[in-house]
């Protein structure tokens, strides 16, 4: 089996190896909906690498850390390191990654559903201001109704006399 060799210097989503990786993932049953390649070179354990992030239809993320030689250094599944048994056979490795995604899908979905998302600090809701505006309108209407009732009372008092 021909292994996938990425071009470290020209690594992008349009790279031939990146397109083949997406094709192998879709054949294994995991549809890639977004693909991103970082431009920054990072260093970990004495190895320089670049990251290719693949986001799948169920929101799971796989990060492929690619060394300068063009092969995959590490695989992260949902920000957790995933050991791969078949490092030399990339098709078998991709199948292994997809199996790990399938086995952890229900746990990932539960964590995703339980996560609470707070709006950014600069965003505020209009509810408190709307409440104050509506209370002001209500009080103005009550005052107008009281004035009309008082005017009606003066007219009915004038008619009665």
């Amino acid at each position: 089996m021909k292994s996938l060799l990425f071009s470290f210097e020209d690594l992008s989503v349009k790279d031939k190896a990146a397109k083949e990786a997406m094709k192998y993932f879709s054949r294994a049953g995991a549809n890639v909906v977004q693909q991103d390649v970082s431009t920054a070179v990072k260093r970990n354990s004495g190895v320089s690498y670049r990251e290719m992030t693949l986001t799948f239809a169920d929101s799971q993320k796989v990060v492929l850390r690619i060394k300068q030689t063009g092969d995959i250094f590490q695989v992260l599944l949902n920000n957790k390191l995933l050991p791969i048994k078949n490092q030399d056979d990339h098709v078998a490795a991709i199948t292994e990654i997809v199996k790990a995604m399938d086995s952890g899908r229900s746990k990932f979905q539960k964590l995703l559903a339980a996560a609470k998302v707070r709006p950014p600090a600069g965003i505020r809701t209009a509810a408190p201001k709307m409440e104050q505006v509506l209370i002001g309108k209500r009080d103005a209407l009550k005052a107008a109704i009281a004035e009309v009732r008082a005017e009606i009372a003066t007219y009915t008092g004038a008619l009665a006399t």
Side-chain angles (χ1 to χ4, degrees):
M1 168 78 342
K2 187 174 92 172
S3 64
L4 297 172
L5 280 179
F6 296 91
S7 171
F8 186 80
E9 299 299 323
D10 302 325
L11 187 62
S12 70
V13 293
K14 296 181 181 178
D15 188 27
K16 182 179 178 183
K19 288 182 180 180
E20 282 188 42
M22 283 183 53
K23 181 174 68 172
Y24 289 135
F25 272 110
S26 63
R27 282 185 185 168
N31 295 326
V32 178
V33 293
Q34 185 178 4
Q35 185 179 17
D36 185 37
V37 177
S38 69
T39 57
V41 177
K42 297 181 181 179
R43 191 167 180 82
N44 186 9
S45 302
V47 178
S48 297
Y49 63 90
R50 289 178 64 189
E51 292 182 342
M52 176 184 289
T53 306
L54 304 171
T55 306
F56 295 91
D58 61 349
S59 299
Q60 294 193 65
K61 289 186 180 184
V62 171
V63 177
L64 303 175
R65 291 182 172 172
I66 301 165
K67 294 192 296 187
Q68 288 179 333
T69 57
D71 55 338
I72 298 170
F73 162 59
Q74 284 181 336
V75 176
L76 295 166
L77 174 60
N78 300 325
N79 297 325
K80 293 182 183 173
L81 196 60
L82 179 69
I84 302 294
K85 294 178 186 174
N86 302 310
Q87 294 177 354
D88 297 331
D89 187 5
H90 287 117
V91 177
I94 288 173
T95 305
E96 196 175 327
I97 293 168
V98 171
K99 284 182 183 177
M101 287 172 53
D102 290 341
S103 66
R105 181 170 285 124
S106 63
K107 182 179 177 185
F108 177 75
Q109 293 296 331
K110 285 180 185 176
L111 289 173
L112 197 63
K116 294 183 180 179
V117 179
R118 288 186 166 180
I123 296 177
R124 299 178 190 245
T125 61
K129 289 184 181 179
M130 285 298 295
E131 184 180 9
Q132 291 174 350
V133 168
L134 292 174
I135 288 172
K137 284 184 179 180
R138 182 198 64 193
D139 294 342
L141 287 173
K142 282 183 178 179
I145 290 171
E147 287 179 23
V148 169
R149 285 188 178 157
E151 194 174 324
I152 290 173
T154 57
Y155 288 136
T156 56
L159 289 175
T161 54

